[in-house]
Each structure stands twice: as C-alpha cells, then as structure tokens.
Amino acid sequence: MLFTLGFGDGTQDVEVPDRNLLYTLLPNNVKYGLTGEAEVKRALQEPIGSPRLRALVWLYLDIM
C-alpha cells in the first residue's frame, strides 16, 4: 500500500507491503478557528482549567 506522508514543507511517498500492514489509523477531521500566533494569544488570555500565567508567575516568585 502506498502512503503519502507530510514531511517538512512537502510530502514523502512510503510503500508498505500489504503483509506488514494490519490496519490504517486516520486522524479525525477537526474544525479549528485560530492558528499560529492568534491561537497562542487566545490560549494565554483564556487558559483552560488553570490560573492565568501572570498569577502563576507571581505565585512562583512569592515562594522563592
């Protein structure tokens, strides 16, 4: 079976003999809105399940 894999800025074709292939796992299609710098900024502004980075830094500095 021939697979085309993302590699660097392009792709790489890889041939795997059928006798060595049990099954193929494929990623789920995931919708996304932000990428790159915009997503990093959003994640810093809206952390999930943890205090903001600013609060963590002050907490760390208080125990030092």
Side-chain angles (χ1 to χ4, degrees):
M1 179 170 244
L2 181 65
F3 293 96
T4 302
L5 305 174
F7 188 78
D9 291 335
T11 60
Q12 179 71 46
D13 291 335
V14 178
E15 180 74 31
V16 177
D18 288 340
R19 69 178 184 275
N20 295 339
L21 188 63
L22 183 59
Y23 54 88
T24 304
L25 293 176
L26 298 173
N28 294 331
N29 289 326
V30 177
K31 294 180 183 178
Y32 57 90
L34 301 175
T35 60
E37 184 179 338
E39 176 57 21
V40 171
K41 286 180 179 179
R42 186 212 55 81
L44 290 172
Q45 291 297 317
E46 303 170 22
I48 299 172
S50 68
R52 293 187 61 158
L53 183 58
R54 177 183 311 146
L56 293 174
V57 169
W58 283 110
L59 177 64
Y60 175 77
L61 292 176
D62 277 349
I63 41 181
M64 297 237 19

